[in-house]
Amino acid sequence: MEFYTEEIPLRTSMRVELIDITSMVSGVLESSGIKEGILNVFSRHSTSAIFINENETRLLGDIESMLTGMVPSGGSYGHNVIDNNADSHLRAVLLGGSQTIPVVNGKMDLGTWQSIFFAELDGPRNRRIRVSVAGRP
């Protein structure tokens, strides 16, 4: 079994932003040379998230609306006393910080309409995503 890891830097431009990172992650998998195994995408930040869904503009807008509706900005959150971004942390809890994807024949085994997204929830910021691949070449 072999293991490969690489970091993907991102610069976000909005407070809440959903970025399709599928092609970047696919590039890391290709560089790894691993043909069968698993791939993990991990956000190294507590006010961002990684999720899998369809890359359709209206759906992405619906996801943003869901997040802001469930966890409104400016709520009376205890953490806001420290740095006024509790909503970002809470939204990240809802989505999660990582995703694991099977690797089959050197490709991510995603469904037809599935893409990997980085969710910026407290931007704009410089971010780092860790992609780790384990398996057989």
Side-chain angles (χ1 to χ4, degrees):
M1 173 160 330
E2 300 208 11
F3 182 77
Y4 182 86
T5 188
E6 189 174 316
E7 192 171 272
I8 299 172
L10 279 181
R11 173 70 187 157
T12 63
S13 59
M14 295 183 286
R15 174 133 165 83
V16 176
E17 184 176 1
L18 307 179
I19 302 168
D20 186 335
I21 59 170
T22 309
S23 63
M24 290 181 262
V25 174
S26 183
V28 173
L29 174 58
E30 189 175 316
S31 295
S32 78
I34 292 175
K35 302 296 182 201
E36 304 291 332
I38 59 170
L39 177 147
N40 180 267
V41 184
F42 173 73
S43 172
R44 302 186 64 211
H45 310 279
S46 60
T47 57
S48 68
I50 303 291
F51 70 95
I52 295 174
N53 214 305
E54 184 175 348
N55 189 353
E56 192 278 316
T57 304
R58 291 165 296 207
L59 175 61
L60 297 176
D62 293 340
I63 292 168
E64 285 187 36
S65 294
M66 175 198 70
L67 291 170
T68 57
M70 290 176 73
V71 186
S73 298
S76 101
Y77 308 113
H79 180 72
N80 279 350
V81 172
I82 297 171
D83 57 11
N84 203 34
N85 70 346
D87 60 309
S88 301
H89 289 279
L90 296 171
R91 291 171 185 167
V93 168
L94 293 173
L95 293 174
S98 69
Q99 292 288 320
T100 300
I101 301 150
V103 174
V104 178
N105 295 322
K107 304 285 182 202
M108 292 183 289
D109 194 24
L110 292 169
T112 301
W113 302 110
Q114 290 183 316
S115 295
I116 306 165
F117 288 89
F118 174 82
E120 173 60 77
L121 303 167
D122 193 27
R125 292 184 183 266
N126 290 314
R127 300 296 199 169
R128 294 173 295 161
I129 302 161
R130 173 72 60 191
V131 178
S132 301
V133 190
R136 295 188 327 253

